[in-house]
Structure formats: C-alpha cells, structure tokens
Amino acid sequence: MHKNKSHNTLNSELDAVSKALKKSIKNLDSYTHVRGESLYVDDVNIRQGTFHAVVFDSPKAHGKIKHIDYSKAEALEGVERILTYKDIPGENEIGGIIADEPLFAEYDVHFWGMPIALIVAESEFIARKARGLIDIDIEELPVITTAKEAKAKGSFINAPRSFSLGNTEKAFADCDYIFEGETFSNGQEHLYIEAQGAYAEPLENGNIKITSSTQGPTAVQATTARVLGLAMHKIEIDVTRLGGGFGGKEDQATPWAVMAALATYHLNQSVKLVLNRHDDLRMTGKRHPYESSYKIGLSKDLKILAYEAEFLQNSGAAADLSPAIAERTLFHATNSYFVPNVTTKVLSCKTNLPPNTAFRGFGGPQGMFVIESAIAKAASEIGVSSKAIQEANLLDENDTFSYGQIAKLVEAKNSWNSAKSLFNSEGLEREIETFNQNNSNFKKGIAFMPICFGISFTNTPMNHARALVHIYLDGSVGVSTAAVEMGQGVNTKMMQIAAQVFSIPIEKIKIETTNTTRVANTSPSAASSTADLNGKATLMACNSLLERLKKVASEDLNVSENEISLQDEFVYINAKKSELSWTELISKTMLKRVALTENAHYATPEIHFDKTKEKGHPFAYHVYGTAITTVTVDCTRGTYEFDSVKIVHDYGKSMSEGIDLGQVEGALIQGIGWMTLEEIAYNDDGKLLSNALSTYKVPDLFSVPKVVETIPLETKGHDLAILKSKAVGEPPLMYGIGAYFALQNAIKAFNPNYNMKFHAPMTAEKVLMGLYEDSK
Ligand code: MTE
Ligand code: HPA
Ligand code: MOS
C-alpha cells in the first residue's frame, strides 16, 4: 500500500513534516500511523510456505491432565504438526525472576488459558478448526481466585517483603486519631491494540530470527535459547514497533515468540503466531488485583505519625514479574507524603489466575490507592477534607522515604501549591458547594491527587543501556538502541538527541529497528526509563563522534579543536560559519580513515539498594505532580461525567512537549479507566467472564473528562533525566486515582449516610448503590 508513491514525493512530504516539527516536536510516527503504513508483526512480509500457529490452552483453572487426544486434530487436512512439552529440546521453563512457569503444561494445569500445545497448520483457520477437535480430560482440583483465599491456604509465590521506617508501634501510642480499614483494587486489561504475536524464520545453520511484539527483546532471545537448548547468538530478535505494550509485553510477549521459534526449529519453516483478541484476553495476565489493609495514625493537627499496610497481591499462577511489582508497591506506599513511622508488608499470593504482570505504574498505583483510601477514611471520620490531610503531610526536601532514600529536589508542595493557585481551586470548591446546595438530582465531587513516582528499575543492575550510532558516508545517520517504540514516542526523542548533537535536520537521522544483534543484553523498555537510559547512551555515542569530527575539521581548517563547533549542517569556527559542510566533513573523515561508528554504554550513577536491609537509594529521581478532578453524578441513574481534570505536572524540562502531553493525557485516562470503569471478572472456577469488549468497558471518547488541562511545573529539571526531560510514561496514570475519590465525595454530598467504600473500580452500579444505601 505504501509503495505506490515515489520516494521523492515521500521525501518532500517528510521534509515538510519535519519543518513543521521543528516548531513543536510531534511524535514522528504519527506520519505513518495515520497513513496506515506503520509496520506491526502482522504486517511482516511472510515467506512462501509459512505455517500459522494457534495455541491450545487449558479449559480448566486447576487440575491434573488425565488424557489428551490429538488424533482428530492431527488428521485434519492442512495440519502440519502439534507440538507439546515433549517436543522441547531444552528446558520447559520461561520464568524470568523465578523458574516456576512452563512454556507448555506437562501433567497439571494452573490457570484457565494455560498453554498446553501449539497447533501448526497451513492456515490460521485450519489451526483453529483443529483446536476444536482436541479432546482433553482434566481431573479438577480446588481453584483459588482471590489473594485472601491464597493467604488463608498459605499459597504464595515467594517470601513476603517488608519495609520499615521509625517505629510504628510506639508512634501509634502518641496518635490522637487511629483508623483501620481494608481496600480492594481490581486488575486491568492492557488492551494494547496490537495483540501478542511473533513471526519466526529459519536462517542458515540452524539460526532463527524472530520478529516479536515485545518490550523486552533480550528476554525473548534468552528464553528462546533456553527452551530450544541453543546458544543465544543463534537467536536474533527484531522489533519494529508495538501497537501498545503498557507493561503487558515486558514479559508476556515471550511465550508466543518461543512457541513460534520452537515450531520453526522442528519444521525448518517460517511460523507466524498472532493471538486473536479472545485468546489474548484469556491467556495473558493483567494488572494485579490487590486486597490490602491499613492502619493510619494522626495527630490533632492532621500530621500522619504512623502508617501500616499489608498488601495482598493476587499474583496468579506463576511469579512472572510479581516480586518486582510487589517491591514497587512498597516503594510507593506513602505516595508523596512524609510519614516518619512506616511498616509495610507485601505478600505475593499464588492463585489460579493467569500470571498477572507489569502494567503502567508497576504496583505503584496499587500502593498509592491504599494510602489515599486511608486518608479519605480518616478525613471523613475526623470531619475534615482529604485535602487538609494531604496538604499537611506533603513531602519536603531532605525527608526520608521508608526505603532510606533522602528526598532531593522535591516538588510535592510546589506542584500542589501551583495547582491550587493556577486553577483557583478554592473558587472551584466554592462552585461545587453552590452547585450541590442548588441541585438535588445531580451532585458534584472534587478530589486532589498528588503523585510522587520513583524513576529507575527498582532492580539496580537493570539500569543500563547501549547505543550504536553509524554516520554513513553521505552524512545520514543510523541509530540503534534497546529502546522499543510502543507509542510513547521514544524514537522521536532518540532522533532529537542525535539531531541536536550533530546539528543536522531530523530527516538525516534514522532510528533502526530494535535488534539484539546490534544492541545486546538489554533491559526491557519499561519503568518509564527507556528515554533516559537509551537516550543517555545515544548522547554519549553522538558526543564521541562529534569530538572525532571536530578533530578532523580542526586539522582540515587549520584551527584548534576548541574553536570548532557544528551548526546547521556546517562547521563553525569561533561561532562563524566556515565553507566546510556536514557532508564534506563526513567525506573527509572517511578519507582520513577515521571511524564513523560509535558504541556507548550508560549505567545510571548513584543508585543502589540493599535488599537484606531494604534500604538504599534506588531511584535516580522522582516525578511529582498534582491533579484536581471534578465530577458530576446523576443521582437518579448513578451515572457520572468528569467535568475536569486539572494537572500541574513535573516534566523537568520537557524535550518533546507534544509527546509528553500525550503521555500525561493517555496515562490519566488509563488511570481513570482502572479506577472507575474497567471491571475484570473471573467466576469461582477461574474462568474469565470479562472476555470481550462487550463485557469489559474501557474509556471511550464519551467517558473522557470534558476538560483536561495540563500545566508544566516550573522546575530546573534533573541531570539524571535525558536533557533534563523527566520520565513521563507511568507517573501520570496515578492522577486517575483522584477520579475515585471525587466520586466518593459526590455520593457523600447526596447521601450523608453513605459509608465511603474503597473498592475499585467505582462503576456506575456501585455509585447507584452508594447513593441509596443507608448505613446508619
Ligand atoms: N504509551 C503508549 N502510547 N503505549 C504504551 O505501550 N507504555 C507505558 C508508557 N506509555 C505505553 C505508553 C509504560 S507501562 C511504560 S513503562 C512507558 O511508556 C515505557 O516507555 P518509556 O520508558 O519510554 O516511558
Ligand atoms: N519497573 C518496570 N519494570 C520492571 C521494573 C521496574 O521497576 N523492574 C523490573 N522490571
Ligand atoms: Mo511499564 S509497566 O514499566 O512496561
């Protein structure tokens, strides 16, 4: 489709686009996105003879496999082969953190949707038909679907983790108010537009290349090598872009790639495996549901003196990333507040759900929901606003987090106060009060939501990246990093860096696919750190090349190196334009036999964490912000509409304002969806009931707030952020938590007898029940 335009027309159009971009940088991918030209796994040009695969998965959540009869499926014309655990030449193991997850079930099944076999056929249609012909006999075992049940039965993934600061026991004795309670936050479906998938092709000498929709190419490579019993260098992973990941492809893109590669290994033919939406929803894990309990103690002047929380994480049937996610829950348990005495504990509870996994915020949102609930509960019992408690406890410079890090360059109060004044929050509160006095069928609610999110992989050794930069002899540039473009705009940011260092137009830069043969041993694109880590590596590589080019230029022009600079595709001497252009400089560098390629490695400095003490300095920096959310509830129907979300966000010094604003708005809506609409439901047998978009409601155009206004916080930025532009991918999701509490307040305005609930999502049904409950 994209081939019927001449290259020249395309190029001149791109030129025009990039000129416009210089004014305000937009995501450069929008050009191919809107034309339908962006390439996803399903768009790979497949080889003649390619086979298509479909996964046969468990129709029960827990049991022993008594018998499977594949004979009818195998006999179907067009079925090439059915692969099971017996066909695995290496290890039947895909667990990344803990080795507790087989690629294919052997003797027992642990969740509904657990892969058992791969049906390889001439077409996907035939493979699906064959799947319906497989007979399986499972002896059912008891099913655990909730974290509480798992805890009661002692079913855990690993040992619990606990953070502590000060002495909560002693501090509670000094509190004027103490409140305890329980909260629940549900899971969340990633609903990336591009479902999970991979395409494996045989190369020479038994080597295999996989095109995968993964955030973690190295994880796919390493796991494929492990399962096939091959060395990693025999497996090449290539990623062009993802149609969304949201954490759902940090770990869980791996099994499908491994399965496709296993089939390629046996059949010496290309194999394509792309899940359809139903299969994806059923077989993959989601955000972890949490059941938590808290105890909060305050002084008369509303200072939080002590906070205890126990988090029960519903991890699902295998560890996946649960231990790391549990850890991040503890890191964010006190959000942007300073609490001098804290004891938190998290238990990763093993249940018979698909293994739950990374999802934007990575356990942080779940932890933050609990302290916000505790504050709301305390406020309603004491008879003050949540805002009063929130404001009295905001983090200050040099405060200590429960994990020992000293808070530096804190923007908690700055963002809070800026939001209050820039958005005239007192006026807004008065408006709401007046509205509520004058209306009986509609009520409004307001909530403040401050955020504080730590940037870095919590697992310190993962904080590194590399970049490989080539300058071609015509002066065009190719950049390879480990960054995976998943819609967050990281490719545009990488281009900006190279363009800025060399002072050449953005169209001279190409971001290559993410490929394990060019950049190896990488961390996944996750933790909002992709641009920081890969961008710093790119910056280093480009700067090294720049130094080399300056040297060549100084020799050529007979001036000293420190007089040379590059500007707008020309060499400048003491800020004066010379005759020597970028392209000529590159040819001269070639003729002098000086390398035009550079590889750089970046590892975040300063960070460390000691898991035996649960203390350290795990984050390069924190991102702050404050959102003010207002909602109107229709008190006859229980339906609601968000009037506005007004945000002051700490971008540092944003290097790409359009992209970063898109991240804030997208994350906000995703957070509101999690808190209000999206209701994952499994029945007691562990079967996913919300298995289609007819039964799983996500935000659409009609559920976004009428007004979303985001103002950048004035700050100096942070040196560990790429070009002082702070990580932006995950933090704003947590502004969505404000939506939950705005709703609570609106219900309370209608029904003074309403007992606040801390059980997300706050769906219209729950709102309606709350409006008419009589708890007194
Ligand atoms: N934005 C889009 N459009 N698509 C995505 O899949 N993933 C989010 C966030 N924003 C995502 C996104 C998640 S979970 C993370 S960790 C970051 O982007 C990853 O990219 P970054 O590290 O470049 O911010
Ligand atoms: N965030 C996101 N993904 C991760 C992390 C993290 O802290 N650690 C391991 N994978
Ligand atoms: Mo994001 S949850 O770290 O992929």
Side-chain angles (χ1 to χ4, degrees), residues 215 244-247 359-361 486-488 490 525-531 663 728-730:
Q215 293 173 239
F246 306 109
F359 196 133
R360 210 168 192 172
M486 58 189 114
Q488 88 279 42
V490 71
S525 286
S528 305
S529 302
T530 315
Q663 285 293 294
V728 70
E730 293 167 287

Side-chain angles (χ1 to χ4, degrees), residues 360 627 629 644-647 662-674 699 705 707-710 730-739:
R360 210 168 192 172
T629 302
S644 64
V645 181
K646 302 190 173 199
I647 299 169
Q663 285 293 294
V664 170
E665 292 180 345
L668 167 73
I669 304 307
Q670 206 164 31
I672 293 179
W674 172 53
V707 174
V708 176
E709 202 179 335
T710 306
E730 293 167 287
L733 181 129
M734 283 146 274
Y735 293 136
I737 295 174

Side-chain angles (χ1 to χ4, degrees), residues 97 215 247 250 321 324-325 327-328 331 358-359 361-362 453-454 456-459 462-463 524-529 619 730:
I97 298 179
Q215 293 173 239
E250 181 174 340
L321 294 163
I325 292 160
E327 180 181 60
R328 199 177 264 279
F331 283 120
F359 196 133
F362 207 73
F453 196 80
S456 288
F457 285 95
T458 56
N459 185 23
M462 291 174 77
N463 293 284
S525 286
S528 305
S529 302
F619 298 119
E730 293 167 287

Side-chain angles (χ1 to χ4, degrees), residues 226-423:
R226 179 185 197 175
V227 172
L228 298 188
L230 295 175
M232 276 173 77
H233 71 192
K234 296 188 79 70
I235 313 291
E236 171 185 348
I237 312 299
D238 192 77
V239 184
T240 299
R241 81 179 69 256
L242 317 188
F246 306 109
K249 296 171 182 170
E250 181 174 340
D251 223 34
Q252 298 209 358
T254 300
W256 329 108
V258 177
M259 287 176 202
L262 177 69
T264 291
Y265 174 95
H266 284 289
L267 303 170
N268 196 32
Q269 177 55 280
S270 296
V271 176
K272 183 169 168 180
L273 168 55
V274 175
L275 303 190
N276 72 10
R277 186 62 65 183
H278 265 104
D279 285 358
D280 188 304
L281 291 173
R282 185 176 67 252
M283 294 182 201
T284 65
K286 308 173 193 317
R287 183 188 292 286
H288 294 76
Y290 271 58
E291 290 170 279
S292 312
S293 51
Y294 65 82
K295 183 174 172 185
I296 189 167
L298 302 95
S299 65
K300 272 218 159 52
D301 58 356
L302 304 181
K303 287 273 179 206
I304 304 172
L305 300 182
Y307 180 64
E308 279 178 8
E310 182 178 86
F311 303 100
L312 303 184
Q313 177 196 59
N314 187 333
S315 312
D320 192 272
L321 294 163
S322 295
I325 292 160
E327 180 181 60
R328 199 177 264 279
T329 301
L330 300 186
F331 283 120
H332 294 91
T334 53
N335 189 14
S336 58
Y337 308 110
F338 172 62
V339 184
N341 301 284
V342 183
T343 308
T344 51
K345 183 178 180 185
V346 61
L347 293 95
S348 293
C349 302
K350 190 169 181 167
T351 62
N352 298 109
L353 301 185
N356 285 315
T357 194
F359 196 133
R360 210 168 192 172
F362 207 73
Q366 289 95 321
M368 285 158 65
F369 177 67
V370 180
I371 191 155
E372 292 303 326
S373 298
I375 289 172
K377 172 80 177 174
S380 116
E381 296 287 326
I382 298 170
V384 297
S385 66
S386 288
K387 184 184 134 198
I389 300 181
Q390 291 171 313
E391 189 166 285
N393 292 282
L394 290 170
L395 204 64
D396 244 328
E397 197 69 11
N398 296 321
D399 280 342
T400 307
F401 289 102
S402 69
Y403 45 93
Q405 183 160 344
I406 309 296
K408 295 283 179 194
L409 300 175
V410 176
E411 303 290 353
K413 288 185 174 167
N414 188 12
S415 76
W416 177 277
N417 293 330
S418 303
K420 272 176 64 178
S421 63
L422 290 169
F423 298 124

Side-chain angles (χ1 to χ4, degrees), residues 536 651-654 716-719 721-726:
K536 292 261 185 183
Y651 296 99
K653 293 251 171 273
S654 175
K716 291 198 288 288
H718 199 285
D719 287 337
I722 180 66
L723 304 176
K724 295 185 182 277
S725 179
K726 283 190 173 183

